[in-house]
Amino acid sequence: MISIKETEIIHNILIDKFGGSKGVRDFGLIESALARPFATFNDED
């Protein structure tokens, strides 16, 4: 799984290239989004 720190680095690179605001509003939302592909219910995706 990609780490929150790696995600922030990628985000900053994209902001430098395309513009926008740096910073993170909610680390919990990032963590949730990164964990989503690994979430299962009753051993099913």
Side-chain angles (χ1 to χ4, degrees):
M1 181 167 88
I2 186 172
S3 73
I4 293 175
K5 185 64 180 170
E6 289 169 320
T7 303
E8 190 174 7
I9 291 168
I10 293 167
H11 177 258
N12 288 335
I13 290 168
L14 293 173
I15 293 300
D16 289 341
K17 184 171 178 87
F18 300 109
S21 299
K22 289 189 178 181
V24 176
R25 183 175 56 103
D26 189 336
F27 281 100
L29 290 175
I30 294 174
E31 186 175 23
S32 176
L34 294 174
R36 175 63 183 102
F38 303 97
T40 62
F41 177 77
N42 200 24
D43 292 324
E44 294 183 27
D45 289 337

